[in-house]
Amino acid sequence: MEKKSYVKPTIVRHSIGVMNKYGRPPATVPMSRLAGFSVKELVGQYGSPLYVLEVDQLRQQYRNLFRAFSTRYPATRVAYSYKTNYLKAICSILHSEGAWAEVVSGFEYDIARNLEMPGDKIIFNGPYKTREELTRAFTEGAMVNLDNYDEIQVCEGLADDLGKKLPVGVRVNMDLNNPPWHKFGFNIEAGHAYEAVKRIQTGGKLDVRGLHIHVGTYVDDVNIYAAAARGLVSFYTYIKEQLGVKLEYWDMGGGYASHNTLNWAWQSAEYTCPTVDQYAEVICPILLNGPFGSGDAPKLFIEPGRALVDEPISMITTVVAQKRLPGGKRGVIVDAGMNVLSSVQWYNYNFQTVQDSGVTVEDTILYGGLCMNIDVLRQSAALPPVRRGEHLVIPHVGAYNLSQSWQFIYLRPAVIAVDDGKIHVIKARETRDYVQQMEQVPEDFQTYRSESRK
Amino acid sequence: MSEIFSSELTMSKNGFLFDHGSGLTYTLNTTGQLIFNLLESGKKSTQILEKLMTEFDVTEDTARKDLDDFYRQLKELGLIDQ
Ligand SMILES: Cc1ncc(COP(=O)(O)O)c(C=O)c1O
């Protein structure tokens, strides 16, 4: 007689409040294939954990965002925020779609140039730019947005050295959110931004051509962008009148949300995350009412990061163990840790089963595989029974997790890209040699010293 | 009623379990239901393990581990004592 297929036994207490009508559907519909390939086979070939990029989806994200803004504000350019994920293959795909590069350090600048992005398609932001980096950027025609007075001074010195007036942008901030983002640039409400622009213009060595604001990250309230756009328009009107500044561009920064649910959010992202059209619809009409005639509008830059790369990348993980915690809750340990999923600080990721495990779910705490107590990937997830060796897929992990990953006790995973049914390895799994290649052991450290070694 | 459970329990055909003592309710999946019925009819854990292995396509290791976890869970939920 043929035996029945087996499911791990479960008993789940009915309770109020664990799941509610706003909750996600439980992850009981198995997702056995990813990007057209069997999850099991992908792991068999490339190992676990594994990041999987769907190239077509990345292109679609870009095209959709560009369409939303450029149909409402024709002179729109998208500059991809490199820090979100600066794998060369990802930057290259976005550049092939027409994206400029938005960089915040000399290292990122160098990545863009190495990919043969011309200097005049690079926006250089960030609070710390060295004199050498600034020299390179100005010489190569990059757009430089200044963050503080020290930087203004360095750039004035550079203008002297280079013997010409240098075009600059000024980073500004406003009291828009709680807590406010005051770190970057000069505050408008306190009058600092006006003082800075005045100081630059009267210095005679630099010329203000742009304004830049970045209102935050994962800003799912479009009203914040509306307030920022209104602020930019009135500030521009004022510096145009008072100081004769004529802008070539304004830059609304990044921060557009992706489909991930924040840890403290009551409703899931499916309900709260604005569409790119909703962002564009509040920003563009306000900016188009700025102090300029038709056909004379400054270029609009946006610097999306997570809105482009979060969703096209998933991570495959493998269950390595499970345990029953005091109190009865189930704990599941997977082979990926928070070192390669740093956004667990912000997001309640969705953990999706790959194999059919029945429809009964149980409240589960998901642990990463690091030997650290804080390595919790999700405090509470409704998961069906899973066993060692089975896989869980975490969708929408493309933003920040790779660029902020750190190497700790395990080798970091490979990244593959699926394009038109073909698989490309865009970053190989690390090796011990790779991790240790910058290290040296001085010979003297190894020579025998102690009696205790006998 | 079997000796093993700490209070009076009734399970419906589709795995809905009612605890008459506490008023709490539970859902068991099919494997859970089978084990519950065997426990209720007074079967020992070795007999239950054997039954799982003859009935299902499962290795002894997995079945034993899952049974242990299931018993731990019943205990944590206060449905069995030992
Ligand atoms: C100046 C600037 N632009 C763009 C971004 C991208 O942000 P996000 O990934 O939230 O779109 C950042 C990130 O913090 C930033 O600092």
Side-chain angles (χ1 to χ4, degrees):
Chain A
M1 195 188 80
E2 193 159 326
K3 291 187 181 180
K4 286 186 253 176
S5 78
Y6 172 80
V7 200
K8 181 182 191 294
T10 61
I11 173 168
V12 178
R13 181 162 68 202
H14 302 159
S15 55
I16 298 161
V18 171
M19 297 243 280
N20 55 64
K21 64 178 173 169
Y22 299 117
R24 272 174 194 284
T28 52
V29 181
M31 185 171 156
S32 61
R33 300 179 78 76
L34 183 61
F37 289 90
S38 140
V39 170
K40 253 199 170 122
E41 281 169 29
L42 289 178
V43 169
Q45 191 145 7
Y46 303 99
S48 173
L50 179 68
Y51 294 102
V52 182
L53 163 70
E54 293 176 74
V55 175
D56 194 47
Q57 203 189 339
L58 179 59
R59 293 188 187 279
Q60 287 308 328
Q61 294 286 121
Y62 178 87
R63 287 173 197 171
N64 193 32
L65 192 82
F66 180 68
R67 175 203 50 75
F69 279 83
S70 63
T71 51
R72 294 174 170 93
Y73 195 111
T76 298
R77 292 282 173 277
V78 175
Y80 169 54
S81 169
Y82 262 38
K83 70 158 88 61
T84 319
N85 189 328
Y86 39 63
L87 285 184
K88 291 195 282 182
I90 287 173
C91 298
S92 299
I93 292 167
L94 290 168
H95 293 325
S96 78
E97 291 290 331
W100 290 30
E102 188 268 337
V103 304
V104 290
S105 69
F107 168 67
E108 287 190 341
Y109 188 96
D110 202 37
I111 296 177
R113 292 292 291 124
N114 181 251
L115 291 174
E116 292 178 7
M117 276 308 276
D120 64 5
K121 289 206 166 132
I122 300 176
I123 302 178
F124 194 11
N125 291 321
Y128 166 44
K129 317 176 185 84
T130 68
R131 189 185 168 88
E132 290 67 35
E133 290 160 1
L134 285 164
T135 308
R136 182 179 187 190
F138 281 116
T139 313
E140 295 177 344
M143 205 183 238
V144 179
N145 293 319
L146 302 180
D147 179 76
N148 54 64
Y149 279 108
D150 289 293
E151 214 162 65
I152 293 174
Q153 244 172 8
V154 172
C155 290
E156 287 180 334
L158 274 179
D160 285 341
D161 291 355
L162 298 170
K164 58 178 181 187
K165 209 167 183 175
L166 299 174
V168 295
V170 174
R171 290 193 66 162
V172 299
N173 66 62
M174 300 173 214
D175 299 335
L176 298 168
N177 13 25
N178 184 20
W181 275 47
H182 284 166
K183 175 171 175 182
F184 305 112
F186 303 90
N187 183 257
I188 286 190
E189 288 92 340
H192 299 166
Y194 179 73
E195 281 163 28
V197 174
K198 189 171 171 192
R199 158 80 177 69
I200 292 171
Q201 295 306 88
T202 50
K205 299 181 178 181
L206 309 173
D207 189 28
V208 174
R209 304 278 178 84
L211 293 177
H212 176 286
I213 185 161
H214 172 66
V215 301
T217 190
Y218 199 103
V219 177
D220 59 2
D221 178 359
V222 295
N223 295 313
I224 289 178
Y225 285 94
R230 276 194 294 271
L232 280 191
V233 168
S234 57
F235 186 66
Y236 180 25
T237 309
Y238 191 61
I239 58 175
K240 186 166 186 255
E241 263 170 34
Q242 299 290 316
L243 305 167
V245 169
K246 185 167 182 328
L247 290 189
E248 285 170 5
Y249 66 91
W250 36 28
D251 186 333
M252 286 297 293
Y256 317 97
S258 57
H259 276 84
N260 269 315
T261 303
L262 295 174
N263 283 334
W264 53 89
W266 170 242
Q267 289 187 313
S268 75
E270 283 86 344
Y271 300 93
T272 60
C273 181
T275 62
V276 286
D277 284 278
Q278 287 172 316
Y279 285 114
E281 186 61 27
V282 300
I283 294 170
C284 299
I286 295 173
L287 291 181
L288 279 175
N289 281 323
F292 42 82
S294 61
D296 199 20
K299 271 200 192 98
L300 167 62
F301 284 93
I302 52 171
E303 303 171 347
R306 71 175 77 244
L308 290 175
V309 296
D310 224 0
E311 291 168 38
I313 301 182
S314 306
M315 181 187 253
I316 305 176
T317 63
T318 304
V319 173
V320 296
Q322 52 185 318
K323 52 176 60 174
R324 194 58 58 192
L325 306 181
K329 190 158 167 166
R330 178 175 61 157
V332 165
I333 307 171
V334 299
D335 60 355
M338 66 189 303
N339 62 323
V340 291
L341 274 177
S342 60
S343 293
V344 293
Q345 306 168 76
W346 315 109
Y347 287 156
N348 265 342
Y349 280 121
N350 194 14
F351 288 75
Q352 185 71 54
T353 53
V354 167
Q355 43 289 312
D356 194 354
S357 314
V359 293
T360 323
V361 295
E362 185 183 345
D363 188 25
T364 304
I365 178 165
L366 278 146
Y367 292 113
L370 302 182
C371 197
M372 281 162 73
N373 195 44
I374 60 164
D375 187 25
V376 174
L377 302 183
R378 182 148 174 194
Q379 285 291 351
S380 171
L383 265 198
V386 287
R387 279 178 286 165
R388 181 179 166 94
E390 291 184 345
H391 305 299
L392 293 172
V393 173
I394 315 166
H396 306 176
V397 301
Y400 299 99
N401 288 316
L402 278 140
S403 49
Q404 293 183 341
S405 73
W406 73 91
Q407 192 273 321
F408 178 62
I409 74 172
Y410 303 112
L411 297 168
R412 281 175 292 185
V415 187
I416 60 169
V418 180
D419 189 21
D420 211 6
K422 280 204 297 284
I423 299 177
H424 307 272
V425 176
I426 59 172
K427 185 169 193 260
R429 187 181 151 83
E430 285 177 343
T431 60
R432 186 181 51 74
D433 278 342
Y434 168 84
V435 173
Q436 295 184 315
Q437 70 186 356
M438 306 305 274
E439 294 185 33
Q440 311 269 359
V441 183
E443 215 172 289
D444 198 33
F445 288 12
Q446 291 168 310
T447 48
Y448 168 74
R449 292 278 169 88
S450 164
E451 289 296 309
S452 70
R453 222 175 125 172
K454 272 185 200 150
Chain B
M1 194 189 104
S2 150
E3 306 288 276
I4 179 161
F5 299 116
S6 356
S7 74
E8 192 181 341
L9 300 171
T10 309
M11 189 170 69
S12 76
K13 276 200 213 71
N14 50 11
F16 182 84
L17 183 74
F18 181 67
D19 181 339
H20 295 260
S22 64
L24 293 171
T25 56
Y26 306 83
T27 297
L28 289 86
N29 68 358
T30 45
T31 320
Q33 291 163 40
L34 175 76
I35 300 169
F36 179 89
N37 286 330
L38 293 169
L39 283 171
E40 199 176 35
S41 64
K43 293 282 186 299
K44 300 228 163 42
S45 60
T46 45
Q47 293 169 299
I48 297 175
L49 180 64
E50 260 162 42
K51 177 83 179 158
L52 283 182
M53 286 160 52
T54 46
E55 192 107 335
F56 296 106
D57 184 18
V58 63
T59 63
E60 181 172 348
D61 267 0
T62 303
R64 194 185 290 278
K65 215 163 47 176
D66 289 351
L67 263 182
D68 283 347
D69 189 51
F70 190 68
Y71 294 145
R72 255 196 305 276
Q73 214 182 341
L74 290 177
K75 202 172 138 201
E76 294 287 359
L77 292 169
L79 297 175
I80 54 175
D81 291 328
Q82 76 282 26

